[in-house]
């Protein structure tokens, strides 16, 4: 487990990412702050449309018009990521921060052998020989559970099954041993058993090698099993955050309580919560969750609760849970 006193490897402060659409401005990410320390595995959860992918893409410099980061600071290992050019960002990917997208087919080149795709990534950062690239690729494919990796390296993307393609994409993302991996629902769309096999493999690997990860997922079981910390997003904001061992046992926010109560069968989306996420164009007054909350009382529809620290590393934004910082302020 990561050491509590170390500086975060990744630090996001007051991030606002908006999409300018003909219907209005979508406040997809609305003032979030969090950090990820070296070696820490962090789960990012919340219903569909809550801003998880936009958060991941903002960190990775992948927000494109009509979207833009309107405000906020994102630092990785002391580097201000918002000041990087696309080229500098590409340089950072692979060894610094690497990305595992949801759709492996979009990440693989259909006309290059898999071997060549590994080599391109390795050679963008090192001067490894062809043989060294081959050996590194082979070893990495074995680590993600691919048997007969020689055959895979010599083949093309279209020869792979969905599960195999996702393993290959992960192996390419991990081959240079990045310090931080950002994965956005990396196994969605695959058979449930295969999803779990792949995640088991990758999470164990990252844990062993003390890599940090931000895992965007709907699978709370995976978060419970592998992540050190969990961040819960709702309507573009963080509503709860803390160590998995605490949040899953005693969730502070009614939204987290509802999510945990609605834990779906593995691999299924969270569907059984009453009501819907509010429009991110006309952001509601008060707490964004108030009209779905069983515990809502007078202030909830009028005043937005601040995200307060309940205990070290534990935060919640709810009028019912008074944080130590708020109490101290009195
Ligand atoms: N290109 C875009 N143009 C306009 N709005 C967008 C765009 N991309 C995302 N959004 C909006 O930003 C909000 C957050 O979307 P995001 O994709 O981050 O949700 P998510 O939490 O990843 O959901 P899911 O679990 O379904 O992947 C949503 O309201 C979405 O409609
Ligand atoms: Mg998403």
């Amino acid at each position: 487990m990561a050491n509590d006193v170390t500086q975060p490897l990744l630090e996001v402060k007051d991030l606002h990412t908006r999409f300018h659409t003909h219907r209005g401005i979508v406040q997809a990410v609305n003032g979030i702050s969090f950090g990820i320390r070296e070696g820490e595995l962090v789960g990012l959860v919340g219903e569909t449309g809550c801003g998880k992918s936009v958060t991941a893409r903002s960190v990775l410099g992948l927000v494109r018009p009509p979207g833009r980061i309107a405000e906020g600071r994102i630092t990785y290992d002391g580097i201000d990521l918002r000041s990087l050019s696309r080229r500098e960002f590409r340089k950072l990917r692979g060894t610094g921060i690497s990305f595992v997208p949801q759709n492996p087919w979009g990440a693989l080149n259909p006309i290059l052998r898999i071997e060549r795709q590994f080599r391109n990534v390795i050679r963008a950062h090192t001067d490894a020989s062809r043989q060294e690239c081959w050996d590194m690729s082979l070893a990495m494919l074995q680590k993600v559970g691919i048997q007969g990796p020689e055959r895979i390296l010599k083949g093309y993307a279209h020869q792979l099954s969905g599960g195999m393609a996702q393993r290959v994409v992960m192996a390419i993302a991990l081959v240079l041993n990045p310090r931080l991996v950002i994965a956005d629902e990396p196994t969605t769309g695959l058979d449930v058993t295969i999803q779990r096999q792949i995640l088991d493999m990758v999470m164990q690997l990252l844990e062993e090698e003390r890599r940090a990860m931000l895992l965007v997922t709907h699978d709370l079981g995976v978060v419970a099993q592998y992540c050190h910390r969990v961040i819960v997003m709702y309507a573009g904001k963080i509503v709860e955050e803390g160590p998995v061992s605490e949040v899953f046992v005693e969730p502070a926010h009614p939204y987290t309580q509802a999510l945990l109560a609605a834990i779906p069968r593995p691999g299924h989306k969270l569907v059984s919560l009453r009501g819907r996420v509010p429009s991110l164009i006309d952001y509601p007054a008060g707490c964004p969750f108030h009209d779905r909350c069983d515990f809502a009382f007078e202030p909830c529809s009028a005043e937005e609760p601040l995200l307060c620290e309940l205990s070290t590393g534990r935060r919640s934004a709810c009028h019912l849970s008074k944080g130590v910082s708020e109490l101290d302020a009195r």
Side-chain angles (χ1 to χ4, degrees), residues 19 21 26 28 46-55 64 66 102 184-185 216 218 269 280:
F19 290 87
T21 70
V26 181
E47 283 165 293
T48 186
C50 280
K52 306 180 298 295
S53 295
V54 175
T55 300
R64 299 282 174 259
Q102 184 170 339
D184 190 357
E185 300 197 52
V216 175
H218 284 271
K269 288 214 165 188
L280 301 182

